[in-house]
Amino acid sequence: MESKSEEQLNAALNIMRRMPPSEIEYNLSGLINLVPELTDNLLQTIDQPLQQAKDSSTGRSYLLCDYNRDGDSFRSPWSNKYDPPIEDGFKPSSQLRKLEEKCNVVFDTYRELYYEGGISSVYLWDQEEEGSFAGCFLIKKEVKEPQRHVNNGSWDSIHIVEAIPKDSIVGASGKGEYSYRLTTTVMLAISTDKGNSGSVNLSGSLTRQAKERIFTVSSDSDHITQIGEMIEDMEVSLRGQLDSLYIQKTREIVNSIRKPIKSEDLPSQAFVADLTKAVKGMKTSA
């Protein structure tokens, strides 16, 4: 039998599933005010649009999420420092921190090549099992294109990866077979305004889990390669699903409501004239 807190959490999640995706932050804030004792559970369970901050020591921007938060402070992946500064903030081990730095450099290049802008951040943390770790790979891209009537557009990718050694010997050495698991959430929001056509606000999100993959690892570079391939495949798949589920489906619904008439489908002037003449002739004979 569920406890009261579990019932409240399930009820809160059911409410959020029925709320507009474009108002996630507003509705989540309302739930936290209503049941403050569920704050940590709600923040860990409900994905929301990513926010950004700037690392004062490096001048580089980074993304904020629950995986680099400790209290009210957030850790920068570039300097490994918390802002506002705190003592004994959660940080990855020295070995994992080296891998985190490499991942941020590679993922930043991936973001630039695929998205031509935006911000990316990678955060890694140690798991209980020796040699295992998990990571959060984030990308945010915002667009404003008045010439295409796009007032606001945003894309948020949240990839959660787990890397688990297949046996204890692998975990101790860091080499051998690893099992990789990936869960991805993508949030898309578009707001357009085109004169007589009116305004459109389209938003939605998808969460998918990739099939578990097993790879042989001999260095940190192998981890980056395998995780990168999984993320790339997942993003390609989700782009297609978002297009078919939201863009194409919306177009199909709109077209079924108001089907435009093509000029070639209209009756010709000659046909209209003959029809008018025939009607007049029927009236005269009557």
Side-chain angles (χ1 to χ4, degrees), residues 110-133:
Y110 167 86
R111 172 201 53 77
E112 186 61 35
L113 291 174
Y114 266 89
Y115 293 87
E116 298 181 350
I119 302 172
S120 66
S121 295
V122 178
Y123 304 102
L124 304 181
W125 59 93
D126 297 278
Q127 301 276 62
E128 292 184 2
E129 185 177 348
E130 186 176 13
S132 65
F133 65 91

Side-chain angles (χ1 to χ4, degrees), residues 16-269:
M16 289 301 299
R17 277 193 284 268
R18 289 162 174 79
M19 293 292 102
S22 58
E23 300 177 4
I24 289 177
E25 294 168 291
Y26 175 78
N27 294 320
L28 180 58
S29 175
L31 284 174
I32 290 175
N33 290 333
L34 188 63
V35 280
E37 63 271 18
L38 295 180
T39 298
D40 287 339
N41 287 331
L42 289 173
L43 290 175
Q44 291 172 8
T45 308
I46 298 173
D47 292 313
Q48 52 185 320
L50 300 167
Q51 303 298 320
Q52 66 183 68
K54 179 167 286 189
D55 188 331
S56 58
S57 60
T58 65
R60 301 196 63 170
S61 298
Y62 62 97
L63 297 173
L64 312 181
C65 69
D66 196 55
Y67 299 98
N68 70 321
R69 180 176 67 90
D70 194 333
D72 294 326
S73 298
F74 293 88
R75 182 172 66 90
S76 166
W78 307 114
S79 64
N80 204 29
K81 297 178 181 178
Y82 276 92
D83 184 26
I86 57 173
E87 294 182 3
D88 301 324
F90 177 80
K91 294 181 180 180
S93 61
S94 58
Q95 182 177 355
L96 193 61
R97 171 58 184 164
K98 293 178 181 178
L99 177 60
E100 183 183 76
E101 290 176 328
K102 294 177 183 178
C103 286
N104 272 285
V105 173
V106 173
F107 205 57
D108 191 54
T109 303
Y110 167 86
R111 172 201 53 77
E112 186 61 35
L113 291 174
Y114 266 89
Y115 293 87
E116 298 181 350
I119 302 172
S120 66
S121 295
V122 178
Y123 304 102
L124 304 181
W125 59 93
D126 297 278
Q127 301 276 62
E128 292 184 2
E129 185 177 348
E130 186 176 13
S132 65
F133 65 91
C136 180
F137 294 70
L138 309 172
I139 291 179
K140 184 177 185 68
K141 173 72 181 291
E142 292 182 318
V143 175
K144 287 186 179 181
E145 295 186 4
Q147 68 276 17
R148 298 175 62 184
H149 309 286
V150 177
N151 296 337
N152 288 289
S154 65
W155 171 285
D156 296 85
S157 296
I158 303 172
H159 305 277
I160 308 299
V161 179
E162 285 184 290
I164 304 171
K166 296 299 289 182
D167 56 56
S168 58
I169 298 177
V170 174
S173 64
K175 300 178 181 179
E177 285 192 340
Y178 270 77
S179 168
Y180 296 90
R181 300 168 187 169
L182 170 66
T183 301
T184 295
T185 296
V186 168
M187 288 172 280
L188 174 68
I190 302 174
S191 176
T192 65
D193 191 355
K194 187 179 179 181
N196 296 331
S197 299
S199 59
V200 175
N201 192 329
L202 179 65
S203 60
S205 64
L206 279 179
T207 299
R208 294 289 185 269
Q209 285 186 322
K211 185 178 179 181
E212 180 183 10
R213 297 187 187 183
I214 298 175
F215 298 105
T216 300
V217 173
S218 59
S219 66
D220 286 349
S221 298
D222 291 333
H223 282 302
I224 297 173
T225 300
Q226 310 306 344
I227 293 174
E229 288 181 357
M230 293 182 70
I231 290 176
E232 183 178 17
D233 292 343
M234 177 63 81
E235 287 209 331
V236 170
S237 175
L238 285 179
R239 286 191 194 100
Q241 292 181 51
L242 280 169
D243 180 63
S244 60
L245 286 175
Y246 290 103
I247 308 299
Q248 301 300 333
K249 193 63 178 179
T250 300
R251 182 179 295 136
E252 179 184 335
I253 292 172
V254 171
N255 288 341
S256 67
I257 296 173
R258 185 183 65 182
K259 185 176 181 180
I261 300 176
K262 298 179 181 179
S263 58
E264 55 266 25
D265 295 334
L266 295 173
S268 64
Q269 292 184 355

